[in-house]
């Protein structure tokens, strides 16, 4: 994933599926300078910094009312 797309997903009013190593994550913050993101595993609630290009958009989009 590109940094610009990670920022779009993070700022979106929609819920957009993102995976890191086959686990769904929530993008908390994006660091454009270092091409990294602070993410939280949805099931485990662990947080970590990862390279943005290791994130995968799953295409699942749920429109918020």
């Amino acid at each position: 994933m590109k940094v610009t797309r990670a920022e779009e997903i993070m700022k979106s009013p929609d819920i957009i599926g993102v995976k890191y190593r086959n686990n769904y994550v929530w993008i908390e913050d994006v660091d454009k300078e270092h091409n990294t993101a602070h993410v939280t595993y949805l099931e485990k609630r662990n947080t970590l910094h990862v390279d943005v290009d290791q994130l995968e958009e799953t295409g699942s989009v749920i429109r918020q009312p």
Side-chain angles (χ1 to χ4, degrees):
M1 177 179 300
K2 303 240 185 251
V3 169
T4 52
R5 182 59 183 147
E7 280 190 316
E8 290 171 359
I9 290 170
M10 183 183 70
K11 294 176 181 178
S12 175
D14 300 331
I15 298 172
I16 301 171
V18 176
K19 284 187 173 183
Y20 172 70
R21 296 188 176 173
N22 291 324
N23 293 291
Y24 281 100
V25 295
W26 186 261
I27 301 172
E28 303 285 351
D29 192 30
V30 176
D31 182 343
K32 288 196 280 191
E33 187 175 323
H34 295 100
N35 200 43
T36 60
H38 180 217
V39 300
T40 301
Y41 282 110
L42 295 183
E43 291 182 13
K44 301 173 189 172
R45 304 285 187 211
N46 307 27
T47 59
L48 62 153
H49 280 88
V50 300
D51 289 331
V52 171
D53 49 351
Q54 293 182 341
L55 297 175
E56 175 188 353
E57 183 175 351
T58 63
S60 305
V61 178
I62 301 170
R63 187 97 185 140
Q64 291 296 316

